[in-house]
Amino acid sequence: MLSDQAPFHPESSDSMRTSNEPIRRVIFVGTYPPRQCGIATFTQDLLRNMQLLEPSLVFGVYAINQNSSEGHTYPDEVLGEIIQDDRGSYLAAAEQINKLGPGTLVIIQHEYGIYGNEYLIGLMQALNIDYE
């Protein structure tokens, strides 16, 4: 369970963050309601429960759409959309996430078939995250 003090600092280890910057915001990348998908529901449930545990943190979502005409009306926590087979939309999302600055934790909800080709890897490589 997360501490009741915010912002929190994860314990350091070789596989954890290398910066002393506290986590201030959490960004989820994955499908999200109203898209009907088990990962979408899981992402929303995880976000809502993390908000209950750490209400001082800012939460947001970059939602994966199958195509540009999918046309979902997303709730306010969705900051942007990524088109599944559009490499440029992955890179644009990474650019926007990077602008959020230090203290941003990105959680990627993965399931085979959601992400286009190797584009998810490109997004991860484009993120300026202080992890080893």
PDB file of all heavy atoms in Angstrom, residues 44-70:
ATOM      1  N   GLN A  44      -9.256   1.659 -16.286  1.00  0.00           N
ATOM      2  CA  GLN A  44     -10.109   2.590 -15.563  1.00  0.00           C
ATOM      3  C   GLN A  44     -10.208   2.218 -14.079  1.00  0.00           C
ATOM      4  O   GLN A  44     -10.120   3.087 -13.206  1.00  0.00           O
ATOM      5  CB  GLN A  44     -11.504   2.627 -16.178  1.00  0.00           C
ATOM      6  CG  GLN A  44     -12.408   3.667 -15.538  1.00  0.00           C
ATOM      7  CD  GLN A  44     -13.778   3.697 -16.181  1.00  0.00           C
ATOM      8  OE1 GLN A  44     -14.440   2.672 -16.281  1.00  0.00           O
ATOM      9  NE2 GLN A  44     -14.179   4.881 -16.638  1.00  0.00           N
ATOM     10  N   ASP A  45     -10.362   0.936 -13.779  1.00  0.00           N
ATOM     11  CA  ASP A  45     -10.436   0.489 -12.383  1.00  0.00           C
ATOM     12  C   ASP A  45      -9.130   0.785 -11.647  1.00  0.00           C
ATOM     13  O   ASP A  45      -9.143   1.234 -10.503  1.00  0.00           O
ATOM     14  CB  ASP A  45     -10.746  -1.008 -12.305  1.00  0.00           C
ATOM     15  CG  ASP A  45     -12.172  -1.347 -12.719  1.00  0.00           C
ATOM     16  OD1 ASP A  45     -13.003  -0.422 -12.831  1.00  0.00           O
ATOM     17  OD2 ASP A  45     -12.442  -2.549 -12.934  1.00  0.00           O
ATOM     18  N   LEU A  46      -7.996   0.533 -12.310  1.00  0.00           N
ATOM     19  CA  LEU A  46      -6.698   0.803 -11.692  1.00  0.00           C
ATOM     20  C   LEU A  46      -6.530   2.290 -11.415  1.00  0.00           C
ATOM     21  O   LEU A  46      -6.119   2.686 -10.318  1.00  0.00           O
ATOM     22  CB  LEU A  46      -5.578   0.287 -12.592  1.00  0.00           C
ATOM     23  CG  LEU A  46      -4.158   0.420 -12.068  1.00  0.00           C
ATOM     24  CD1 LEU A  46      -3.990  -0.307 -10.733  1.00  0.00           C
ATOM     25  CD2 LEU A  46      -3.164  -0.127 -13.099  1.00  0.00           C
ATOM     26  N   LEU A  47      -6.873   3.125 -12.381  1.00  0.00           N
ATOM     27  CA  LEU A  47      -6.765   4.574 -12.203  1.00  0.00           C
ATOM     28  C   LEU A  47      -7.635   5.028 -11.023  1.00  0.00           C
ATOM     29  O   LEU A  47      -7.160   5.751 -10.146  1.00  0.00           O
ATOM     30  CB  LEU A  47      -7.180   5.295 -13.485  1.00  0.00           C
ATOM     31  CG  LEU A  47      -7.081   6.819 -13.460  1.00  0.00           C
ATOM     32  CD1 LEU A  47      -6.713   7.341 -14.843  1.00  0.00           C
ATOM     33  CD2 LEU A  47      -8.359   7.474 -13.009  1.00  0.00           C
ATOM     34  N   ARG A  48      -8.870   4.599 -10.988  1.00  0.00           N
ATOM     35  CA  ARG A  48      -9.782   5.031  -9.919  1.00  0.00           C
ATOM     36  C   ARG A  48      -9.291   4.590  -8.540  1.00  0.00           C
ATOM     37  O   ARG A  48      -9.385   5.356  -7.575  1.00  0.00           O
ATOM     38  CB  ARG A  48     -11.185   4.502 -10.185  1.00  0.00           C
ATOM     39  CG  ARG A  48     -11.866   5.215 -11.327  1.00  0.00           C
ATOM     40  CD  ARG A  48     -13.241   4.675 -11.593  1.00  0.00           C
ATOM     41  NE  ARG A  48     -13.894   5.446 -12.643  1.00  0.00           N
ATOM     42  CZ  ARG A  48     -15.032   5.091 -13.194  1.00  0.00           C
ATOM     43  NH1 ARG A  48     -15.660   3.997 -12.800  1.00  0.00           N
ATOM     44  NH2 ARG A  48     -15.556   5.843 -14.140  1.00  0.00           N
ATOM     45  N   ASN A  49      -8.770   3.385  -8.447  1.00  0.00           N
ATOM     46  CA  ASN A  49      -8.285   2.912  -7.152  1.00  0.00           C
ATOM     47  C   ASN A  49      -6.991   3.594  -6.744  1.00  0.00           C
ATOM     48  O   ASN A  49      -6.777   3.868  -5.564  1.00  0.00           O
ATOM     49  CB  ASN A  49      -8.159   1.390  -7.153  1.00  0.00           C
ATOM     50  CG  ASN A  49      -9.507   0.734  -6.985  1.00  0.00           C
ATOM     51  OD1 ASN A  49     -10.044   0.697  -5.884  1.00  0.00           O
ATOM     52  ND2 ASN A  49     -10.093   0.264  -8.071  1.00  0.00           N
ATOM     53  N   MET A  50      -6.123   3.902  -7.702  1.00  0.00           N
ATOM     54  CA  MET A  50      -4.918   4.656  -7.379  1.00  0.00           C
ATOM     55  C   MET A  50      -5.267   6.066  -6.929  1.00  0.00           C
ATOM     56  O   MET A  50      -4.609   6.617  -6.049  1.00  0.00           O
ATOM     57  CB  MET A  50      -3.949   4.660  -8.559  1.00  0.00           C
ATOM     58  CG  MET A  50      -3.293   3.304  -8.783  1.00  0.00           C
ATOM     59  SD  MET A  50      -2.108   3.318 -10.133  1.00  0.00           S
ATOM     60  CE  MET A  50      -0.752   4.233  -9.380  1.00  0.00           C
ATOM     61  N   GLN A  51      -6.313   6.658  -7.522  1.00  0.00           N
ATOM     62  CA  GLN A  51      -6.756   7.986  -7.074  1.00  0.00           C
ATOM     63  C   GLN A  51      -7.208   7.945  -5.619  1.00  0.00           C
ATOM     64  O   GLN A  51      -6.976   8.896  -4.872  1.00  0.00           O
ATOM     65  CB  GLN A  51      -7.916   8.487  -7.945  1.00  0.00           C
ATOM     66  CG  GLN A  51      -7.493   8.971  -9.297  1.00  0.00           C
ATOM     67  CD  GLN A  51      -8.677   9.376 -10.159  1.00  0.00           C
ATOM     68  OE1 GLN A  51      -9.711   8.701 -10.173  1.00  0.00           O
ATOM     69  NE2 GLN A  51      -8.516  10.458 -10.900  1.00  0.00           N
ATOM     70  N   LEU A  52      -7.860   6.861  -5.225  1.00  0.00           N
ATOM     71  CA  LEU A  52      -8.293   6.722  -3.832  1.00  0.00           C
ATOM     72  C   LEU A  52      -7.103   6.594  -2.888  1.00  0.00           C
ATOM     73  O   LEU A  52      -7.115   7.144  -1.788  1.00  0.00           O
ATOM     74  CB  LEU A  52      -9.206   5.499  -3.673  1.00  0.00           C
ATOM     75  CG  LEU A  52     -10.563   5.589  -4.366  1.00  0.00           C
ATOM     76  CD1 LEU A  52     -11.294   4.249  -4.267  1.00  0.00           C
ATOM     77  CD2 LEU A  52     -11.409   6.704  -3.767  1.00  0.00           C
ATOM     78  N   LEU A  53      -6.068   5.863  -3.322  1.00  0.00           N
ATOM     79  CA  LEU A  53      -4.892   5.646  -2.482  1.00  0.00           C
ATOM     80  C   LEU A  53      -3.974   6.863  -2.422  1.00  0.00           C
ATOM     81  O   LEU A  53      -3.353   7.121  -1.395  1.00  0.00           O
ATOM     82  CB  LEU A  53      -4.091   4.442  -2.993  1.00  0.00           C
ATOM     83  CG  LEU A  53      -4.748   3.089  -2.809  1.00  0.00           C
ATOM     84  CD1 LEU A  53      -3.956   2.022  -3.552  1.00  0.00           C
ATOM     85  CD2 LEU A  53      -4.860   2.755  -1.330  1.00  0.00           C
ATOM     86  N   GLU A  54      -3.863   7.584  -3.523  1.00  0.00           N
ATOM     87  CA  GLU A  54      -2.947   8.731  -3.618  1.00  0.00           C
ATOM     88  C   GLU A  54      -3.664   9.928  -4.243  1.00  0.00           C
ATOM     89  O   GLU A  54      -3.383  10.322  -5.381  1.00  0.00           O
ATOM     90  CB  GLU A  54      -1.711   8.367  -4.445  1.00  0.00           C
ATOM     91  CG  GLU A  54      -0.759   7.423  -3.757  1.00  0.00           C
ATOM     92  CD  GLU A  54      -0.057   8.057  -2.569  1.00  0.00           C
ATOM     93  OE1 GLU A  54       0.035   9.289  -2.475  1.00  0.00           O
ATOM     94  OE2 GLU A  54       0.417   7.286  -1.717  1.00  0.00           O
ATOM     95  N   PRO A  55      -4.607  10.542  -3.530  1.00  0.00           N
ATOM     96  CA  PRO A  55      -5.393  11.633  -4.121  1.00  0.00           C
ATOM     97  C   PRO A  55      -4.583  12.880  -4.467  1.00  0.00           C
ATOM     98  O   PRO A  55      -5.057  13.719  -5.229  1.00  0.00           O
ATOM     99  CB  PRO A  55      -6.445  11.927  -3.050  1.00  0.00           C
ATOM    100  CG  PRO A  55      -5.890  11.387  -1.786  1.00  0.00           C
ATOM    101  CD  PRO A  55      -5.003  10.236  -2.158  1.00  0.00           C
ATOM    102  N   SER A  56      -3.370  13.001  -3.943  1.00  0.00           N
ATOM    103  CA  SER A  56      -2.565  14.186  -4.251  1.00  0.00           C
ATOM    104  C   SER A  56      -1.879  14.084  -5.614  1.00  0.00           C
ATOM    105  O   SER A  56      -1.375  15.079  -6.127  1.00  0.00           O
ATOM    106  CB  SER A  56      -1.515  14.394  -3.164  1.00  0.00           C
ATOM    107  OG  SER A  56      -0.611  13.315  -3.169  1.00  0.00           O
ATOM    108  N   LEU A  57      -1.852  12.898  -6.210  1.00  0.00           N
ATOM    109  CA  LEU A  57      -1.227  12.725  -7.517  1.00  0.00           C
ATOM    110  C   LEU A  57      -2.204  13.114  -8.619  1.00  0.00           C
ATOM    111  O   LEU A  57      -3.419  13.063  -8.446  1.00  0.00           O
ATOM    112  CB  LEU A  57      -0.777  11.281  -7.717  1.00  0.00           C
ATOM    113  CG  LEU A  57       0.277  10.752  -6.744  1.00  0.00           C
ATOM    114  CD1 LEU A  57       0.619   9.307  -7.064  1.00  0.00           C
ATOM    115  CD2 LEU A  57       1.526  11.612  -6.760  1.00  0.00           C
ATOM    116  N   VAL A  58      -1.649  13.496  -9.766  1.00  0.00           N
ATOM    117  CA  VAL A  58      -2.440  13.810 -10.953  1.00  0.00           C
ATOM    118  C   VAL A  58      -2.421  12.573 -11.847  1.00  0.00           C
ATOM    119  O   VAL A  58      -1.358  11.981 -12.066  1.00  0.00           O
ATOM    120  CB  VAL A  58      -1.840  15.019 -11.696  1.00  0.00           C
ATOM    121  CG1 VAL A  58      -2.575  15.280 -12.990  1.00  0.00           C
ATOM    122  CG2 VAL A  58      -1.850  16.248 -10.794  1.00  0.00           C
ATOM    123  N   PHE A  59      -3.587  12.193 -12.358  1.00  0.00           N
ATOM    124  CA  PHE A  59      -3.695  11.010 -13.200  1.00  0.00           C
ATOM    125  C   PHE A  59      -4.214  11.389 -14.574  1.00  0.00           C
ATOM    126  O   PHE A  59      -5.041  12.292 -14.705  1.00  0.00           O
ATOM    127  CB  PHE A  59      -4.653   9.985 -12.559  1.00  0.00           C
ATOM    128  CG  PHE A  59      -4.123   9.411 -11.288  1.00  0.00           C
ATOM    129  CD1 PHE A  59      -4.370  10.031 -10.076  1.00  0.00           C
ATOM    130  CD2 PHE A  59      -3.359   8.258 -11.297  1.00  0.00           C
ATOM    131  CE1 PHE A  59      -3.878   9.519  -8.892  1.00  0.00           C
ATOM    132  CE2 PHE A  59      -2.858   7.734 -10.117  1.00  0.00           C
ATOM    133  CZ  PHE A  59      -3.114   8.362  -8.911  1.00  0.00           C
ATOM    134  N   GLY A  60      -3.730  10.690 -15.596  1.00  0.00           N
ATOM    135  CA  GLY A  60      -4.195  10.916 -16.958  1.00  0.00           C
ATOM    136  C   GLY A  60      -4.052   9.651 -17.775  1.00  0.00           C
ATOM    137  O   GLY A  60      -3.402   8.689 -17.364  1.00  0.00           O
ATOM    138  N   VAL A  61      -4.657   9.677 -18.957  1.00  0.00           N
ATOM    139  CA  VAL A  61      -4.683   8.508 -19.838  1.00  0.00           C
ATOM    140  C   VAL A  61      -4.412   8.945 -21.266  1.00  0.00           C
ATOM    141  O   VAL A  61      -4.900  10.004 -21.707  1.00  0.00           O
ATOM    142  CB  VAL A  61      -6.065   7.808 -19.791  1.00  0.00           C
ATOM    143  CG1 VAL A  61      -6.138   6.642 -20.765  1.00  0.00           C
ATOM    144  CG2 VAL A  61      -6.406   7.366 -18.380  1.00  0.00           C
ATOM    145  N   TYR A  62      -3.649   8.134 -21.984  1.00  0.00           N
ATOM    146  CA  TYR A  62      -3.558   8.202 -23.435  1.00  0.00           C
ATOM    147  C   TYR A  62      -4.224   6.937 -23.944  1.00  0.00           C
ATOM    148  O   TYR A  62      -3.733   5.839 -23.730  1.00  0.00           O
ATOM    149  CB  TYR A  62      -2.112   8.342 -23.924  1.00  0.00           C
ATOM    150  CG  TYR A  62      -1.672   9.772 -23.859  1.00  0.00           C
ATOM    151  CD1 TYR A  62      -1.233  10.331 -22.670  1.00  0.00           C
ATOM    152  CD2 TYR A  62      -1.762  10.599 -24.976  1.00  0.00           C
ATOM    153  CE1 TYR A  62      -0.883  11.665 -22.587  1.00  0.00           C
ATOM    154  CE2 TYR A  62      -1.410  11.944 -24.895  1.00  0.00           C
ATOM    155  CZ  TYR A  62      -0.971  12.457 -23.706  1.00  0.00           C
ATOM    156  OH  TYR A  62      -0.638  13.783 -23.629  1.00  0.00           O
ATOM    157  N   ALA A  63      -5.391   7.105 -24.573  1.00  0.00           N
ATOM    158  CA  ALA A  63      -6.239   5.986 -24.972  1.00  0.00           C
ATOM    159  C   ALA A  63      -5.888   5.501 -26.380  1.00  0.00           C
ATOM    160  O   ALA A  63      -5.686   6.303 -27.289  1.00  0.00           O
ATOM    161  CB  ALA A  63      -7.708   6.399 -24.924  1.00  0.00           C
ATOM    162  N   ILE A  64      -5.836   4.185 -26.524  1.00  0.00           N
ATOM    163  CA  ILE A  64      -5.559   3.563 -27.817  1.00  0.00           C
ATOM    164  C   ILE A  64      -6.881   3.361 -28.560  1.00  0.00           C
ATOM    165  O   ILE A  64      -7.817   2.763 -28.029  1.00  0.00           O
ATOM    166  CB  ILE A  64      -4.868   2.190 -27.644  1.00  0.00           C
ATOM    167  CG1 ILE A  64      -3.590   2.324 -26.801  1.00  0.00           C
ATOM    168  CG2 ILE A  64      -4.592   1.554 -29.002  1.00  0.00           C
ATOM    169  CD1 ILE A  64      -2.503   3.134 -27.423  1.00  0.00           C
ATOM    170  N   ASN A  65      -6.944   3.857 -29.797  1.00  0.00           N
ATOM    171  CA  ASN A  65      -8.089   3.649 -30.679  1.00  0.00           C
ATOM    172  C   ASN A  65      -7.671   2.773 -31.849  1.00  0.00           C
ATOM    173  O   ASN A  65      -6.522   2.849 -32.307  1.00  0.00           O
ATOM    174  CB  ASN A  65      -8.614   4.974 -31.229  1.00  0.00           C
ATOM    175  CG  ASN A  65      -9.328   5.779 -30.181  1.00  0.00           C
ATOM    176  OD1 ASN A  65      -9.871   5.239 -29.220  1.00  0.00           O
ATOM    177  ND2 ASN A  65      -9.316   7.079 -30.356  1.00  0.00           N
ATOM    178  N   GLN A  66      -8.598   1.983 -32.366  1.00  0.00           N
ATOM    179  CA  GLN A  66      -8.286   1.130 -33.509  1.00  0.00           C
ATOM    180  C   GLN A  66      -8.032   1.944 -34.770  1.00  0.00           C
ATOM    181  O   GLN A  66      -7.196   1.576 -35.587  1.00  0.00           O
ATOM    182  CB  GLN A  66      -9.405   0.122 -33.752  1.00  0.00           C
ATOM    183  CG  GLN A  66      -9.441  -0.941 -32.680  1.00  0.00           C
ATOM    184  CD  GLN A  66     -10.569  -1.934 -32.896  1.00  0.00           C
ATOM    185  OE1 GLN A  66     -11.619  -1.583 -33.407  1.00  0.00           O
ATOM    186  NE2 GLN A  66     -10.331  -3.167 -32.499  1.00  0.00           N
ATOM    187  N   ASN A  67      -8.756   3.053 -34.940  1.00  0.00           N
ATOM    188  CA  ASN A  67      -8.549   3.900 -36.109  1.00  0.00           C
ATOM    189  C   ASN A  67      -9.037   5.311 -35.789  1.00  0.00           C
ATOM    190  O   ASN A  67      -9.653   5.542 -34.754  1.00  0.00           O
ATOM    191  CB  ASN A  67      -9.260   3.334 -37.347  1.00  0.00           C
ATOM    192  CG  ASN A  67     -10.725   3.093 -37.100  1.00  0.00           C
ATOM    193  OD1 ASN A  67     -11.466   4.012 -36.756  1.00  0.00           O
ATOM    194  ND2 ASN A  67     -11.160   1.846 -37.259  1.00  0.00           N
ATOM    195  N   SER A  68      -8.759   6.234 -36.694  1.00  0.00           N
ATOM    196  CA  SER A  68      -9.086   7.639 -36.428  1.00  0.00           C
ATOM    197  C   SER A  68     -10.581   7.920 -36.465  1.00  0.00           C
ATOM    198  O   SER A  68     -11.024   8.943 -35.960  1.00  0.00           O
ATOM    199  CB  SER A  68      -8.356   8.546 -37.412  1.00  0.00           C
ATOM    200  OG  SER A  68      -8.731   8.223 -38.729  1.00  0.00           O
ATOM    201  N   SER A  69     -11.360   7.026 -37.040  1.00  0.00           N
ATOM    202  CA  SER A  69     -12.799   7.262 -37.112  1.00  0.00           C
ATOM    203  C   SER A  69     -13.563   6.547 -35.997  1.00  0.00           C
ATOM    204  O   SER A  69     -14.794   6.538 -36.010  1.00  0.00           O
ATOM    205  CB  SER A  69     -13.337   6.822 -38.480  1.00  0.00           C
ATOM    206  OG  SER A  69     -13.153   5.431 -38.646  1.00  0.00           O
ATOM    207  N   GLU A  70     -12.840   5.952 -35.046  1.00  0.00           N
ATOM    208  CA  GLU A  70     -13.506   5.232 -33.967  1.00  0.00           C
ATOM    209  C   GLU A  70     -14.424   6.150 -33.170  1.00  0.00           C
ATOM    210  O   GLU A  70     -15.491   5.749 -32.742  1.00  0.00           O
ATOM    211  CB  GLU A  70     -12.464   4.557 -33.058  1.00  0.00           C
ATOM    212  CG  GLU A  70     -13.046   3.492 -32.185  1.00  0.00           C
ATOM    213  CD  GLU A  70     -11.988   2.629 -31.530  1.00  0.00           C
ATOM    214  OE1 GLU A  70     -10.779   2.918 -31.651  1.00  0.00           O
ATOM    215  OE2 GLU A  70     -12.382   1.663 -30.880  1.00  0.00           O
TER     216      GLU A  70
END
